[in-house]
Amino acid sequence: MDLDYTQDQRAFRADARKWLEANVPSEPLKSFDTAEGAKQHREWEAQLNAGGWAMVPWPVEYGGRGANLLEWLIFEEEYYRVGAPKRINQNGIFLLGPTIMEYGTPEQKARFLPPMAASEEVWAQGWSEPNAGSDMANIQAAASRDGDHFVLNGQKTWASRGAFADWLFGMFRTDPESERHRGLTFILVPLDLPGITVRPIEQLDGLPGFAEVFFDDVRVPAEHQLGEEGKGWNVAMATAGFERGLMLRSPARFQATAKRLVELARLHGDAVERSVRDEVTRCWIAAEAYTLETHRTVSRLLAAGKIGAEASLNKIFWSELDLRMHELALEILGDRGELLPEAPAAGDVGGWLDGYLFALSGPIYAGTNEIQRNIIAERILGLPR
Ligand SMILES: Cc1cc2nc3c(=O)[nH]c(=O)nc-3n(C[C@H](O)[C@H](O)[C@H](O)COP(=O)(O)OP(=O)(O)OC[C@H]3O[C@@H](n4cnc5c(N)ncnc54)[C@H](O)[C@@H]3O)c2cc1C
């Protein structure tokens, strides 16, 4: 692995920086967990797509730039450097998109990827059910075949941005006799079909972006099945690898937080205890280490490797680091850290509280860290169950 950037990579960075600096909204957008914010984020995504920056590693024919993963990491660094908005369609572009690239038919790729890149179609992830969270193989939502359709019945829950999404991807039990991870099929479902009820759930921050989704004899064309019938688990494991490992949480995000944290500690100078300053330094080093580790993974993927159970190591690392950085920021800020962003005296400190509330969920979503530790114990360390 060569840690020096090539001339082409430096030129790519300069292009990305120039476009982002010229186009990033001057005012922060509202949260995409509100109706108004969701609309603003869709407009931003359309602008990104028009500039050719919606999803740089995708092939040009699907709305990408044909860049490689290293260039994608460079783009992400520039994206976070200018403080560009969060990606409302992250379930689509980072998780489902790469899965369709791997498992989709040519028709599915042509049908789903371009509107995904433009965020004309925003996706929700429909895996969790009331009794199938960590134990995802316990999925009960059913799909029975009726001619050239599936008929869906059951419930999904905790669908991020489900309240404002257009489509949902999820696993459904297509073989009623099956158990655990067998007999599940990965199906793509438009959320406006008759028989679907989307009910928003208020989050810890009071915003209604989450949703539970109910299916009551919903008819979905069978061509919306992704991968083989009954083999949905394998397809979903590829998606989960993207979610835990690389695409969802690029290192640039944590480097940007670490940089802000260092600035915060500097600003408060002498008032910050030595032990806190040491911990800030450790976090900054950890963000750099995560970056180097990601470059190592990307080098391996570029040489045709695959991401496997090690995605679980990444997931624990980025989620715990993110939480620790936000805890430290609140420790440094003391009482001021509790100000909401809209409070007149908040200045630029309100973001830390919001960030902290979200960071609390890092060890839960994308599979809880307890489950990731089980995976590491069994599949990487070879410990008995
Ligand atoms: C912010 C956020 C966004 C989310 N977005 C989505 C989404 O878009 N789509 C979606 O489908 N889901 C989503 N989820 C749901 C998430 O994937 C689940 O919450 C998670 O998988 C845990 O499932 P559960 O909530 O049912 O908890 P449970 O499975 O009931 O677990 C409760 C606790 O028990 C522990 N536990 C359970 N089994 C074991 C075991 N075998 N060994 C050790 N410990 C165990 C867990 O680690 C956890 O601490 C989201 C969750 C959050 C917080």
Side-chain angles (χ1 to χ4, degrees), residues 91 124-136 156-162 203 210 243 358 360-371 374:
N91 283 323
Q125 182 187 68
W127 285 357
S128 303
E129 297 182 7
N131 293 309
S134 299
D135 187 14
M136 206 162 76
K156 297 286 176 184
T157 189
W158 310 132
S160 294
R161 290 166 294 288
Q203 297 166 173
F210 258 145
E243 183 169 26
F358 187 71
L360 282 173
S361 67
I364 302 173
Y365 69 84
T368 65
N369 285 8
E370 290 82 5
I371 296 298
N374 285 350

Side-chain angles (χ1 to χ4, degrees), residues 25-308:
S26 48
E27 290 291 314
L29 307 185
K30 294 243 161 37
S31 164
F32 57 28
D33 285 327
T34 63
E36 194 188 347
K39 186 168 168 287
Q40 291 177 344
H41 277 81
R42 280 177 188 254
E43 284 162 9
W44 161 244
E45 292 284 344
Q47 198 180 338
L48 263 179
N49 188 52
W53 296 102
M55 201 45 198
V56 294
W58 288 10
V60 177
E61 61 196 296
Y62 301 134
R65 216 179 180 82
N68 68 28
L69 284 176
L70 269 173
E71 287 162 332
W72 175 69
L73 290 179
I74 292 171
F75 172 74
E76 287 280 291
E77 280 173 19
E78 293 304 316
Y79 195 86
Y80 281 97
R81 201 183 64 80
V82 292
K86 285 191 199 166
R87 309 294 301 266
I88 186 172
N89 207 10
Q90 50 186 268
N91 283 323
I93 54 177
F94 295 146
L95 309 184
L96 181 62
T99 315
I100 290 185
M101 225 80 82
E102 200 170 321
Y103 286 92
T105 61
E107 293 74 27
Q108 287 175 325
K109 290 178 191 172
R111 161 64 189 86
F112 290 114
L113 295 174
M116 191 185 288
S119 288
E120 284 157 10
E121 294 177 347
V122 170
W123 286 82
Q125 182 187 68
W127 285 357
S128 303
E129 297 182 7
N131 293 309
S134 299
D135 187 14
M136 206 162 76
N138 194 33
I139 280 176
Q140 300 299 324
S144 56
R145 193 65 185 255
D146 180 17
D148 53 4
H149 280 74
F150 286 114
V151 181
L152 311 185
N153 279 288
Q155 179 192 350
K156 297 286 176 184
T157 189
W158 310 132
S160 294
R161 290 166 294 288
F164 307 110
D166 310 291
W167 283 76
L168 171 141
F169 61 89
M171 273 192 289
F172 295 83
R173 200 161 286 284
T174 36
D175 176 0
E177 306 296 315
S178 65
E179 285 185 357
R180 308 299 298 162
H181 53 276
R182 293 180 201 88
L184 295 167
T185 301
F186 199 118
I187 301 178
L188 313 175
V189 189
L191 283 170
D192 59 356
L193 288 178
I196 293 188
T197 307
V198 176
R199 208 154 67 188
I201 307 174
E202 214 172 85
Q203 297 166 173
L204 186 60
D205 57 12
L207 301 178
F210 258 145
E212 50 187 348
V213 184
F214 300 87
F215 305 88
D216 188 7
D217 283 336
V218 176
R219 292 181 68 80
V220 183
E223 72 225 30
H224 289 346
Q225 164 190 317
L226 185 64
E228 282 178 57
E229 186 168 334
K231 299 272 175 66
W233 186 262
N234 299 349
V235 187
M237 286 308 104
T239 316
F242 297 128
E243 183 169 26
R244 291 168 196 159
L246 193 63
M247 298 308 274
L248 189 66
R249 293 291 174 254
S250 68
R253 173 193 178 112
F254 306 110
Q255 281 181 306
T257 308
K259 200 167 153 235
R260 280 177 57 220
L261 183 64
V262 169
E263 280 159 15
L264 190 73
R266 278 212 183 107
L267 198 69
H268 290 260
D270 297 341
V272 179
E273 278 178 34
R274 179 66 196 257
S275 61
V276 173
R277 268 183 287 163
D278 285 352
E279 191 57 12
V280 167
T281 311
R282 271 194 284 276
C283 284
W284 184 87
I285 292 171
E288 292 299 304
Y290 182 60
T291 307
L292 290 176
E293 172 60 21
T294 305
H295 276 76
R296 198 168 71 131
T297 307
V298 162
S299 302
R300 198 164 42 77
L301 292 178
L302 288 175
K306 278 212 162 216
I307 198 153

